[in-house]
Amino acid sequence: MEKDLVEYIVKSLVDDPSAVNITVVEGEKSTILELRVAQGDIGKVIGKHGRIAKAIRTVLQASTAKGGRHTVLEILD
Protein backbone atom coordinates (compact mmCIF):
# COMPACT_ATOMS: atom_id res chain seq x y z
CA MET A 1 0.00 0.00 0.00
CA GLU A 2 2.69 2.50 1.01
CA LYS A 3 4.86 1.50 -1.94
CA ASP A 4 1.98 2.06 -4.36
CA LEU A 5 1.23 5.47 -2.86
CA VAL A 6 4.81 6.70 -3.14
CA GLU A 7 5.19 5.20 -6.62
CA TYR A 8 2.06 7.00 -7.83
CA ILE A 9 3.19 10.37 -6.43
CA VAL A 10 6.75 10.09 -7.74
CA LYS A 11 5.77 8.87 -11.21
CA SER A 12 3.55 11.92 -11.61
CA LEU A 13 6.48 14.22 -10.78
CA VAL A 14 9.31 12.84 -12.94
CA ASP A 15 10.00 12.99 -16.68
CA ASP A 16 10.96 9.29 -16.91
CA PRO A 17 8.39 7.26 -14.91
CA SER A 18 9.82 3.96 -16.15
CA ALA A 19 13.04 4.63 -14.19
CA VAL A 20 11.22 4.82 -10.84
CA ASN A 21 12.23 1.90 -8.62
CA ILE A 22 11.11 1.38 -5.03
CA THR A 23 12.59 -1.33 -2.82
CA VAL A 24 10.80 -2.27 0.42
CA VAL A 25 12.92 -3.27 3.43
CA GLU A 26 10.81 -4.67 6.28
CA GLY A 27 11.98 -4.35 9.87
CA GLU A 28 10.41 -5.30 13.20
CA LYS A 29 8.72 -1.98 13.89
CA SER A 30 9.47 -0.01 10.76
CA THR A 31 9.47 -0.22 7.00
CA ILE A 32 12.04 1.49 4.79
CA LEU A 33 11.17 2.47 1.23
CA GLU A 34 14.29 3.00 -0.88
CA LEU A 35 13.47 5.21 -3.87
CA ARG A 36 15.61 5.39 -7.00
CA VAL A 37 14.85 7.62 -9.98
CA ALA A 38 16.72 8.69 -13.11
CA GLN A 39 19.67 10.99 -12.46
CA GLY A 40 17.96 13.95 -14.16
CA ASP A 41 14.79 13.54 -12.08
CA ILE A 42 16.36 13.50 -8.61
CA GLY A 43 15.91 17.26 -8.21
CA LYS A 44 12.22 17.03 -9.08
CA VAL A 45 11.65 14.48 -6.35
CA ILE A 46 13.62 16.39 -3.71
CA GLY A 47 12.45 19.89 -4.67
CA LYS A 48 13.81 23.23 -3.52
CA HIS A 49 15.18 22.94 0.01
CA GLY A 50 13.69 19.42 0.20
CA ARG A 51 10.10 20.61 0.24
CA ILE A 52 8.70 17.98 -2.13
CA ALA A 53 10.53 15.15 -0.36
CA LYS A 54 9.21 16.41 2.98
CA ALA A 55 5.67 16.56 1.61
CA ILE A 56 5.89 12.99 0.28
CA ARG A 57 7.18 11.81 3.68
CA THR A 58 4.33 13.65 5.46
CA VAL A 59 1.69 11.98 3.27
CA LEU A 60 3.39 8.63 3.81
CA GLN A 61 3.41 9.04 7.60
CA ALA A 62 -0.24 10.09 7.59
CA SER A 63 -1.22 7.00 5.63
CA THR A 64 0.63 4.63 7.98
CA ALA A 65 -0.16 6.31 11.31
CA LYS A 66 -3.28 4.28 11.98
CA GLY A 67 -1.46 0.97 11.65
CA GLY A 68 1.11 1.86 14.29
CA ARG A 69 4.08 1.19 12.01
CA HIS A 70 6.80 3.68 11.18
CA THR A 71 7.63 4.09 7.49
CA VAL A 72 10.76 5.87 6.27
CA LEU A 73 11.38 7.10 2.73
CA GLU A 74 15.01 7.15 1.60
CA ILE A 75 15.85 8.81 -1.71
CA LEU A 76 18.97 7.17 -3.13
CA ASP A 77 21.30 8.45 -5.84
Side-chain angles (χ1 to χ4, degrees):
M1 158 85 181
E2 297 87 15
K3 177 184 174 185
D4 298 334
L5 175 65
V6 172
E7 187 174 11
Y8 177 76
I9 293 170
V10 172
K11 282 187 175 183
S12 66
L13 292 172
V14 298
D15 289 332
D16 186 10
S18 63
V20 174
N21 183 14
I22 300 175
T23 306
V24 179
V25 179
E26 292 284 339
E28 289 181 25
K29 295 185 179 180
S30 65
T31 303
I32 300 172
L33 300 177
E34 296 177 343
L35 173 64
R36 294 183 193 273
V37 295
Q39 190 65 31
D41 290 332
I42 194 87
K44 293 179 181 175
V45 174
I46 295 173
K48 289 184 180 180
H49 304 288
R51 288 183 183 158
I52 294 175
K54 184 177 178 182
I56 294 170
R57 289 182 177 118
T58 301
V59 170
L60 183 62
Q61 287 177 354
S63 71
T64 61
K66 197 170 191 178
R69 290 187 57 89
H70 183 69
T71 305
V72 178
L73 175 65
E74 292 184 356
I75 302 170
L76 306 175
D77 292 340

